[in-house]
Amino acid sequence: MKKSTKFLRPGLLAGLTLAALGLQALPAAASTDYPPAIWNPAASCNYSSRTASVTHVTVHTTQGSYAGSISWFQNCSAGVSAHYVIRSSDGQVTQMVREADKAWHVGNSNGYTVGIEHEGYINAPSTWYTTAMYNASAALTRDILASRGLAQKVYDGSGGWNAVPSDSLYNVKGHVNYASQTHTDPGSGWDWPRYKSLVAGGSGGGGDSGGGALSWPVVQYGNSGERVRTIQYLLQQWGYSLTVNGSFDTATQNAVKNFQSSHGLGADGIVGNATWPALTIVTQQGDSGAKVRAVQSQLNESGYGLTVDGSFGPATYSAVRSFQSAKGLGVDGVVGDNTWNKMAW
């Protein structure tokens, strides 16, 4: 008796048909915008034509599964879409809307943004925000920015996970970080300093450190000088109200303890190998604020004569590159772990 194929899934039926003909299934189509991605388009009813230039990238969390999100964007009942979806387990990327088109993912900011959805749930970041996902997402974001000649101005989380900084300050932010939004993704568990460092190239700024974990100076109550001033500037960047006076006083010690406690570190008030990497923030051209003042002040300690104005402009960029060259680092103009470490010593 002939078997009915009525209830077979379409993909399985297609596979059986190909097998019957002695053929192999065709590989998934590749994206033309981003070749590492699979192209699996959203329903045309869930996106529209773009009229503005792309200037920003939006980081999302699906609040669901990878496969489920792809299916939902292909359903006209959704009324939503994103340009890319990334799988948690291995970082597989699927593109669903061309970057030249406007996906519907971030309300009144749709027109100038590219949206990246990350599989998972914001209340379980340690489960879903994997190394593979971070790496794949950062590579994609880096490509989106580079293809348009945009600076890598990635939000670093220093203003709080749900802050709404101006679009002029950062061109990579979370859904919650855009104005007039009702969503809270990617949530408090998204590691913005890590993501910014990865987008900047994954080297930590200043090239490879040459092997193993970095060793940092120990700075504590009673110390004074440029290292203390740097710590105070960085604490300011993280939202602590301090006077930058180069003196590791009681107020600085208390701020360090509070910072350590908030980052799951031993709250001993001493800045050493565990606290320095958490405290430092990737800083690069186009950035502004106390972290830039820390860089400028450190460079002046080495004789560069910069104005400490908190604006990472061409003069600061040139001085960072000169400092990196003098210290035997990769010369990229980005102040990441390797460059911060040389400055701290």
Side-chain angles (χ1 to χ4, degrees), residues 4-304:
S4 170
T5 58
K6 178 178 179 180
F7 298 106
L8 289 176
R9 290 182 289 109
L12 179 58
L13 178 59
L16 291 172
T17 303
L18 286 170
L21 295 173
L23 301 174
Q24 293 183 342
L26 294 174
S31 159
T32 55
D33 285 330
Y34 186 61
I38 296 168
W39 171 243
N40 191 1
S44 59
C45 47
N46 287 332
Y47 64 90
S48 53
S49 298
R50 191 191 293 279
T51 57
S53 298
V54 171
T55 56
H56 288 67
V57 175
T58 307
V59 174
H60 296 275
T61 304
T62 60
Q63 291 298 101
S65 72
Y66 175 74
S69 299
I70 291 171
S71 177
W72 184 234
F73 293 159
Q74 293 173 329
N75 183 336
C76 286
S77 298
V80 293
S81 62
H83 294 89
Y84 296 95
V85 185
I86 301 181
R87 188 161 62 194
S88 171
S89 61
D90 58 0
Q92 179 177 294
V93 182
T94 288
Q95 182 176 14
M96 303 200 67
V97 178
R98 300 292 186 199
E99 292 178 20
D101 289 323
K102 180 171 68 176
W104 301 343
H105 62 105
V106 64
N108 56 9
S109 297
N110 285 332
Y112 59 93
T113 58
V114 170
I116 304 175
E117 288 279 0
H118 299 82
E119 181 184 26
Y121 296 85
I122 63 174
N123 62 353
S126 62
T127 299
W128 294 99
Y129 298 159
T130 63
T131 295
M133 174 181 279
Y134 275 119
N135 289 342
S137 178
L140 171 58
T141 292
R142 191 162 57 246
D143 181 82
I144 294 166
L145 298 177
S147 67
R148 294 166 173 82
L150 298 171
Q152 296 169 340
K153 295 162 58 177
V154 183
Y155 184 52
D156 54 23
S158 58
W161 70 272
N162 59 350
V164 185
S166 168
D167 282 354
S168 64
L169 295 178
Y170 305 102
N171 55 17
V172 181
K173 304 189 293 182
H175 190 164
V176 70
N177 305 124
Y178 286 84
S180 304
Q181 303 300 316
T182 59
H183 290 217
T184 58
D185 55 308
S188 60
W190 184 261
D191 192 338
W192 282 112
R194 176 185 184 182
Y195 193 63
K196 179 168 184 173
S197 179
L198 288 169
V199 172
S203 68
D208 190 354
S209 62
L214 296 170
S215 176
W216 297 83
V218 174
V219 188
Q220 56 191 312
Y221 181 79
N223 291 162
S224 61
E226 192 59 38
R227 288 173 181 163
V228 178
R229 186 174 287 106
T230 294
I231 290 167
Q232 291 169 331
Y233 274 127
L234 289 170
L235 286 167
Q236 280 188 346
Q237 186 68 42
W238 282 102
Y240 294 88
S241 179
L242 283 175
T243 299
V244 177
N245 56 14
S247 176
F248 205 121
D249 50 21
T250 301
T252 302
Q253 184 184 51
N254 288 338
V256 169
K257 287 181 178 180
N258 289 334
F259 174 84
Q260 290 170 325
S261 179
S262 69
H263 283 73
L265 303 170
D268 58 6
I270 299 172
V271 181
N273 282 335
T275 302
W276 273 110
L279 190 61
T280 56
I281 303 169
V282 175
T283 309
Q284 58 192 309
Q285 191 165 27
D287 286 350
S288 61
K291 61 182 179 178
V292 180
R293 292 188 180 91
V295 170
Q296 293 167 330
S297 186
Q298 278 284 359
L299 289 168
N300 286 348
E301 186 76 359
S302 297
Y304 285 92

